């Protein structure tokens, strides 16, 4: 039986954890494939964002790889090799490394971050195709309620 053949009553009995897991994997795979087509990886973009005072970094100060890993703990995946990803960015001249092994965002890296961020709206639009904003908002609210019901916190 396909998902289209399942009634709303049957769908209501489906396990949320299964579907959120399937959705997570599909969304990450799609996003990463789109980014790879543009010549970068999601972890590379995260490194740039976490080092940019114009984005996630509160002060624009350099960070070590363990500090960056800690900062990204809620979204970095086990298979993400931040050291290897940083080496690519260092080779591109988007990051620099100081004597204390801290990574710093170079001017070229800040421009790359701005340029790469321009890809996000197209990725979002493709993923949201056929989903109106009201349905999406309802879905997020339901997921937040499930999280709270499970004892989690919603940021």
């Amino acid at each position: 039986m396909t998902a289209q053949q399942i009634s709303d009553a049957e769908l209501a009995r489906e396990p949320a954890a299964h579907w959120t897991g399937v959705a997570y994997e599909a969304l990450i795979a799609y996003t990463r494939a789109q980014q790879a087509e543009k010549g970068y990886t999601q972890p590379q973009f995260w490194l740039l964002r976490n080092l940019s005072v114009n984005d996630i970094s509160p002060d624009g100060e350099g960070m070590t790889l363990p500090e960056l890993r800690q900062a990204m703990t809620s979204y970095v995946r086990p298979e993400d090799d931040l050291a290897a990803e940083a080496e690519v960015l260092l080779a591109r001249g988007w990051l620099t490394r100081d004597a204390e092994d801290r990574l710093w965002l170079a001017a070229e890296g800040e421009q790359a971050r701005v340029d790469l961020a321009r890809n996000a709206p197209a990725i979002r639009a493709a993923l949201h195709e056929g989903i109106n904003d009201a349905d999406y908002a309802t879905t997020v609210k339901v997921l937040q309620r499930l999280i709270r019901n499970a004892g989690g916190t919603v940021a």
Side-chain angles (χ1 to χ4, degrees), residues 64-122:
T64 64
L65 279 170
E67 290 169 336
L68 284 159
R69 194 170 291 107
Q70 178 63 36
M72 296 183 225
T73 192
S74 68
Y75 50 89
V76 72
R77 292 173 58 101
E79 68 269 21
D80 293 339
D81 184 346
L82 294 182
E85 301 290 2
E87 289 301 323
V88 171
L89 298 179
L90 287 160
R92 289 181 182 170
W94 294 359
L95 297 181
T96 61
R97 181 180 285 137
D98 66 18
E100 286 82 41
D101 218 22
R102 298 176 77 74
L103 296 170
W104 293 82
L105 187 62
E108 295 85 353
E110 177 60 15
Q111 185 58 55
R113 182 196 64 78
V114 170
D115 293 343
L116 298 178
R118 291 187 182 118
N119 296 318

